[in-house]
Amino acid sequence: PPACAGCGETAYIKLVTQLFGDRMYIANASGCTAAHGGSLPSTPYCTDDRGFGPPWEQSLFEDNAEFAFGFLNAHNTVNSELVDAIQSLKDAGVAVEACQAYLAGKDDADVSRKVTDDLLAALEKADVKAEDKVSVDKVSVDFVLQNKEFLSKKSVWAFGGDGWAYDIGFGGLDHVLASGLDINMLV
């Protein structure tokens, strides 16, 4: 649905989702952006031909920046555990080239999806069968495959209007931006 006359909100949201939609998380403050972005049961967001598209969630009006920051911290926590497992697999000689390429390129938005796909393909073919006991390599491969959505670099966004950014939510927004972490705001 279009925004109010003179407001470019829906056009901006469409543009940013076209640029980053296959790897973005969206935290959306209650208000106009939620009305245009979350008018359920329909949604303006879609997936690409591989099924990748932005997960969208609405937060309270006043804490949207912190809500998005939670997305970022949660993703980074799981990704850190995956990195440890992948380093362990590389050290054990399992899918060494794919593990090494992933570890080198995981934080580069331009190559993250490719090295993630290559790693998953290599691990799906890896021969790490557990015989009488559960092998550490098998557990690590299973853990990576079960949490594959956390492998590629994500673009975390907080969407909100001027009331959120300049009034009731400014303290949280300021605090999150001051963290220096890779998080984005669309006002």
Side-chain angles (χ1 to χ4, degrees):
C4 299
C7 177
E9 184 175 299
T10 54
Y12 294 139
I13 290 173
K14 179 182 179 185
L15 178 63
V16 77
T17 57
Q18 287 174 324
L19 292 170
F20 305 106
D22 65 334
R23 61 181 185 91
M24 74 188 300
Y25 292 157
I26 301 170
N28 203 151
S30 300
C32 286
T33 54
H36 297 299
S39 52
L40 298 174
S42 65
T43 178
Y45 306 110
C46 60
T47 58
D48 64 14
D49 59 349
R50 293 187 54 199
F52 297 116
W56 178 98
E57 185 63 46
Q58 181 177 337
S59 76
L60 297 173
F61 183 64
E62 63 272 9
D63 72 351
N64 193 50
E66 297 93 323
F67 189 63
F69 195 61
F71 283 3
L72 179 65
N73 283 327
H75 178 271
N76 288 348
T77 298
V78 176
N79 183 263
S80 175
E81 293 173 7
L82 289 165
V83 166
D84 290 345
I86 293 164
Q87 182 65 53
S88 168
L89 289 168
K90 178 182 158 234
D91 294 345
V94 177
V96 174
E97 289 180 24
C99 289
Q100 191 168 333
Y102 173 80
L103 294 169
K106 70 181 185 62
D107 293 323
D108 182 340
D110 294 329
V111 300
S112 177
R113 175 61 59 200
K114 179 175 180 356
V115 296
T116 295
D117 290 346
D118 292 348
L119 175 66
L120 292 171
L123 292 181
E124 286 170 357
K125 294 177 190 172
D127 185 21
V128 288
K129 295 181 179 85
E131 293 176 9
D132 293 335
K133 60 182 177 67
V134 176
S135 76
V136 174
D137 297 343
K138 174 79 169 125
V139 170
S140 293
V141 168
D142 288 347
F143 177 70
V144 173
L145 294 175
Q146 290 168 3
N147 292 283
K148 63 186 174 186
E149 69 271 15
F150 297 100
L151 287 170
S152 64
K153 179 169 177 50
K154 299 297 187 266
S155 182
V156 178
W157 289 79
F159 289 178
D162 60 342
W164 162 66
Y166 303 130
D167 188 11
I168 197 167
F170 83 92
L173 190 143
D174 183 57
H175 203 94
V176 168
L177 289 175
S179 74
L181 296 177
D182 186 8
I183 192 163
N184 306 282
M185 307 289 165
L186 187 133
V187 179

